[in-house]
Amino acid sequence: MFDRLVGFIREQYATKEFIPLHAPVFRGRERELVLDTIDSTFVSSVGAYVDRFERDVAGFTGSPRAVAVMNGTAALHIALVLAGVERGDLVVTQSLTFVATCNAIAYCGAEPLFVDVDRRTLGLSPAALDAWLEEHALVDDAGVCRTRVDHRRIRACLPMHTFGHPADLDALIAVCERWKLVLIEDAAESLGSYYKGRHTGTFGEIGVLSFNGNKIMTTGGGGMVLADEVVGKRAKHLTTTAKIPHPYEFFHDEVGYNYRLPNLNAALGCAQLEQLPAFLASKRALAERYIAFFASTDLQPIVEPEHCRSNYWLNGVICESPAQREALLKATNEAGVMTRPIWALMTRLPLYANALRGPLDNAEWLEARVVNLPSSVTPEPA
Ligand SMILES: *Cc1c(COP(=O)(O)O)cnc(C)c1O
């Protein structure tokens, strides 16, 4: 079967060479727009492409405001700062995620609180969150969610839309409202993914995108904060050294961050965004071919959840057993077709090993079985 899978993947990319998990594709005006920034000398913190990229991403996602920053991790950090996360706070998230989600929490001096994911969405489970809070938390007279034992503040909830598949947002919103948690979406992987017709990253108070080289589109390195006008304005201020606008005076009214996205990267982003609809179509078609292929096997492809349209950024399968996972990883990688296991759970990393947590059965089950498959945009038919 693995030979057949390797042959199938080679067919998709029409090559006998090494096939990476995810490589960027530059088929549009990337060269033209990037060269334009060089010709103009505006490659850095000033230039028109940043404004345009922010407007274009806001338009694409339907977010009132989009603020460009230097990477997705910085966007997550700023989102948590804007949500009022402070030293000593807890922030609920999933253990099945990329490490940046938790690192951003640590940058605030806060700590992650891990609850389980759903097997269908691979995203934070609203039922698991509600159950943990029911047993271990209360909302105090001031309307602040706190742990029962030591009264630590639980400030925010940070679900992640794994591989571009939306988490169960309606239910998460309801649980967050009930427990007074600020909802922030780690939508780093889900540009082009929709939940009930609305773009991911626009449901929470703040949403975060990434344009790292391995994401569905890239700026080289980059990220975006999605928010309403008021929070978005603050995000812009905080990520640009908190300078009060003035023709020549330097005055900064708080400790700001230099997190802005250079114009050079924004130009690449503008050109990539023009191609995003084509990328999404290519990925959906590839996902459909993967799903058809796996129908005759005992591996289960990961498909978009109900009421959702996923970007199918990264295709994945659920193996029947941990042993099958090992065999699949070995056979494909030895054949020059790159596949990867899902991340080790955050609770296994020494830095988060002592974090508070609920039961993580689904996360552990998935960790032992999920393998990601090559998912780059496929070559155009000759
Ligand atoms: C890629 C990614 C990030 C971070 O993005 P960078 O731009 O690489 O800093 C954060 N969270 C998740 C889930 C990601 O996949």
Side-chain angles (χ1 to χ4, degrees), residues 70-76 96-102 160-163 186-190 208-215 220-223 313 343:
M70 64 188 188
N71 58 51
T73 310
L76 281 168
L96 193 76
T97 187
F98 177 59
V99 71
T101 317
C102 301
M160 196 275 281
H161 303 301
T162 309
F163 309 147
D186 183 345
E189 304 182 353
S190 67
V208 164
L209 304 175
S210 165
F211 308 112
N212 188 37
N214 66 343
K215 298 301 200 285
W313 165 59
W343 314 279

Coordinates of all heavy atoms in Angstrom, one line a residue, residues 70-76 96-102 160-163 186-190 208-215 220-223 313 343, ligand 1:
M70 N 5.7 41.0 11.9 CA 6.8 40.3 11.3 C 6.7 38.8 11.3 O 7.4 38.1 10.5 CB 8.1 40.7 12.0 CG 8.2 40.3 13.4 SD 9.6 41.1 14.2 CE 9.5 40.2 15.8
N71 N 5.9 38.2 12.1 CA 5.6 36.8 12.0 C 4.3 36.5 12.8 O 3.8 37.3 13.6 CB 6.8 35.9 12.4 CG 7.3 36.2 13.8 OD1 6.5 36.2 14.8 ND2 8.6 36.4 13.9
G72 N 3.9 35.3 12.7 CA 2.7 34.8 13.4 C 2.9 34.8 14.9 O 1.9 35.0 15.7
T73 N 4.1 34.4 15.3 CA 4.3 34.4 16.8 C 4.2 35.7 17.4 O 3.6 35.9 18.5 CB 5.7 33.8 17.0 OG1 5.9 32.6 16.3 CG2 5.9 33.5 18.5
A74 N 4.7 36.8 16.7 CA 4.6 38.1 17.2 C 3.2 38.6 17.2 O 2.7 39.2 18.2 CB 5.4 39.1 16.4
A75 N 2.4 38.1 16.2 CA 1.0 38.5 16.2 C 0.2 37.8 17.4 O -0.6 38.5 18.0 CB 0.4 38.0 14.9
L76 N 0.6 36.6 17.7 CA 0.0 35.9 18.9 C 0.3 36.7 20.2 O -0.5 36.9 21.0 CB 0.5 34.5 19.0 CG -0.2 33.5 18.1 CD1 0.6 32.2 18.1 CD2 -1.6 33.2 18.5
L96 N -2.2 19.9 21.5 CA -1.9 19.5 20.1 C -1.9 20.8 19.3 O -2.8 21.2 18.7 CB -3.1 18.6 19.6 CG -2.8 17.8 18.4 CD1 -1.8 16.7 18.6 CD2 -4.1 17.3 17.7
T97 N -0.7 21.4 19.3 CA -0.5 22.6 18.5 C 1.0 22.8 18.2 O 1.8 22.0 18.7 CB -1.1 23.8 19.2 OG1 -1.0 25.0 18.3 CG2 -0.3 24.1 20.5
F98 N 1.3 23.8 17.4 CA 2.7 24.2 17.2 C 3.1 25.0 18.4 O 2.3 25.7 19.0 CB 2.8 25.0 15.9 CG 4.2 25.5 15.6 CD1 5.3 24.6 15.5 CD2 4.4 26.9 15.5 CE1 6.5 25.1 15.3 CE2 5.7 27.3 15.2 CZ 6.7 26.5 15.1
V99 N 4.4 24.9 18.8 CA 4.9 25.4 20.0 C 4.7 27.0 20.2 O 4.6 27.5 21.3 CB 6.4 25.1 20.2 CG1 7.3 25.9 19.2 CG2 6.8 25.3 21.6
A100 N 4.6 27.7 19.0 CA 4.4 29.1 19.1 C 3.2 29.6 19.8 O 3.2 30.6 20.5 CB 4.3 29.7 17.6
T101 N 2.1 28.8 19.8 CA 0.9 29.1 20.5 C 1.2 29.3 22.0 O 0.7 30.3 22.6 CB -0.2 28.0 20.3 OG1 -0.2 27.6 18.9 CG2 -1.6 28.5 20.7
C102 N 1.9 28.3 22.5 CA 2.2 28.4 24.0 C 3.3 29.3 24.3 O 3.3 30.0 25.3 CB 2.6 27.0 24.4 SG 1.4 25.8 24.1
M160 N -6.8 26.7 18.2 CA -6.0 26.7 17.0 C -6.8 25.9 15.9 O -7.3 24.8 16.2 CB -4.6 26.1 17.3 CG -3.6 26.4 16.3 SD -3.6 25.3 14.9 CE -2.8 23.9 15.6
H161 N -6.8 26.4 14.7 CA -7.5 25.7 13.6 C -6.5 24.8 12.9 O -5.9 25.2 11.9 CB -8.2 26.8 12.7 CG -9.1 27.7 13.4 ND1 -10.2 27.3 14.1 CD2 -9.1 29.1 13.5 CE1 -10.9 28.3 14.6 NE2 -10.2 29.4 14.3
T162 N -6.4 23.6 13.4 CA -5.4 22.7 13.0 C -5.4 22.3 11.5 O -6.4 21.9 11.0 CB -5.4 21.4 13.9 OG1 -5.5 21.8 15.2 CG2 -4.2 20.5 13.7
F163 N -4.3 22.5 10.9 CA -4.1 22.2 9.4 C -5.1 23.0 8.6 O -5.3 22.6 7.4 CB -4.2 20.7 9.1 CG -3.3 19.9 10.0 CD1 -3.7 18.6 10.4 CD2 -2.1 20.3 10.4 CE1 -2.9 17.8 11.2 CE2 -1.2 19.5 11.2 CZ -1.7 18.3 11.6
D186 N -6.0 31.3 17.1 CA -4.8 31.1 16.4 C -5.1 30.5 15.0 O -5.3 29.3 14.8 CB -3.9 30.1 17.1 CG -2.5 29.9 16.4 OD1 -2.4 30.3 15.2 OD2 -1.6 29.4 17.1
A187 N -5.3 31.4 14.0 CA -5.7 31.1 12.7 C -4.5 31.1 11.7 O -4.6 31.3 10.5 CB -6.8 32.0 12.2
A188 N -3.3 30.8 12.3 CA -2.1 30.8 11.6 C -2.1 29.9 10.4 O -1.5 30.2 9.3 CB -0.9 30.5 12.5
E189 N -2.8 28.8 10.5 CA -2.9 27.8 9.5 C -4.1 27.8 8.6 O -4.3 27.0 7.7 CB -2.7 26.4 10.1 CG -1.5 26.3 11.0 CD -1.3 24.9 11.6 OE1 -2.2 24.0 11.5 OE2 -0.3 24.7 12.2
S190 N -5.0 28.8 8.9 CA -6.4 28.7 8.3 C -6.8 29.9 7.5 O -8.0 30.1 7.3 CB -7.4 28.4 9.4 OG -7.5 29.5 10.3
V208 N -5.3 35.6 14.6 CA -3.9 35.7 14.2 C -3.7 34.9 12.9 O -4.1 33.7 12.9 CB -3.0 35.3 15.4 CG1 -1.6 35.0 14.9 CG2 -3.1 36.3 16.5
L209 N -3.0 35.5 12.0 CA -2.5 34.7 10.8 C -1.0 34.6 10.7 O -0.3 35.5 11.3 CB -3.0 35.4 9.5 CG -4.5 35.7 9.3 CD1 -4.8 36.5 8.1 CD2 -5.3 34.4 9.3
S210 N -0.5 33.7 10.0 CA 0.9 33.6 9.7 C 1.2 33.5 8.2 O 0.4 32.8 7.5 CB 1.5 32.3 10.4 OG 2.8 32.1 9.9
F211 N 2.3 34.1 7.8 CA 2.7 34.0 6.4 C 4.1 33.5 6.3 O 4.9 33.9 5.5 CB 2.6 35.4 5.7 CG 1.3 36.1 5.9 CD1 1.1 37.2 6.7 CD2 0.2 35.5 5.3 CE1 -0.1 37.8 6.8 CE2 -1.1 36.2 5.4 CZ -1.2 37.3 6.2
N212 N 4.4 32.6 7.2 CA 5.7 31.9 7.2 C 5.8 31.1 5.9 O 4.8 30.8 5.2 CB 5.8 30.9 8.4 CG 7.2 30.3 8.5 OD1 8.2 31.0 8.3 ND2 7.2 29.1 8.9
G213 N 7.0 30.7 5.5 CA 7.3 30.1 4.2 C 6.5 28.8 4.0 O 6.3 28.4 2.8
N214 N 6.1 28.1 5.1 CA 5.4 26.8 4.9 C 3.9 27.0 4.9 O 3.2 26.0 4.8 CB 5.8 25.9 6.0 CG 5.4 26.3 7.4 OD1 5.1 27.5 7.6 ND2 5.5 25.4 8.3
K215 N 3.4 28.2 5.1 CA 1.9 28.4 5.2 C 1.3 28.4 3.8 O 2.0 28.4 2.8 CB 1.6 29.6 6.0 CG 2.1 29.5 7.5 CD 1.5 28.3 8.2 CE 1.5 28.5 9.7 NZ 2.8 28.3 10.3
G220 N 7.6 35.5 3.1 CA 9.0 35.2 3.6 C 8.9 34.9 5.1 O 9.1 33.8 5.6
G221 N 8.6 35.9 5.9 CA 8.1 35.7 7.3 C 7.1 36.8 7.5 O 7.3 37.9 7.0
G222 N 6.1 36.5 8.2 CA 5.1 37.6 8.4 C 3.9 37.1 9.2 O 3.7 35.8 9.3
G223 N 3.1 38.0 9.7 CA 1.9 37.6 10.4 C 0.9 38.7 10.3 O 1.2 39.8 9.8
W313 N -4.8 23.3 4.0 CA -3.4 23.7 3.9 C -2.5 22.5 4.0 O -1.6 22.4 3.2 CB -3.1 24.6 5.1 CG -1.6 24.8 5.3 CD1 -0.7 25.3 4.5 CD2 -0.9 24.5 6.5 NE1 0.5 25.3 5.0 CE2 0.4 24.8 6.3 CE3 -1.2 23.9 7.8 CZ2 1.5 24.6 7.2 CZ3 -0.3 23.8 8.7 CH2 1.1 24.1 8.4
W343 N 2.7 17.3 15.7 CA 3.6 17.7 16.7 C 3.5 16.8 18.0 O 2.5 16.3 18.3 CB 3.2 19.1 17.2 CG 3.0 20.1 16.1 CD1 3.9 20.7 15.4 CD2 1.7 20.5 15.5 NE1 3.3 21.5 14.4 CE2 2.0 21.4 14.5 CE3 0.4 20.1 15.8 CZ2 1.0 22.0 13.7 CZ3 -0.6 20.7 15.0 CH2 -0.3 21.6 14.0
Ligands
LIG1 C1 3.0 28.8 11.9 C2 2.3 28.8 13.1 C3 2.4 29.8 14.1 C4 3.5 30.9 14.0 O1 3.8 31.5 12.9 P1 5.2 32.1 12.5 O2 4.9 33.0 11.5 O3 6.1 30.9 12.1 O4 5.8 32.8 13.8 C5 1.6 29.9 15.2 N1 0.7 28.9 15.4 C6 0.5 27.9 14.6 C7 -0.5 26.9 14.9 C8 1.3 27.8 13.4 O5 1.1 26.8 12.6

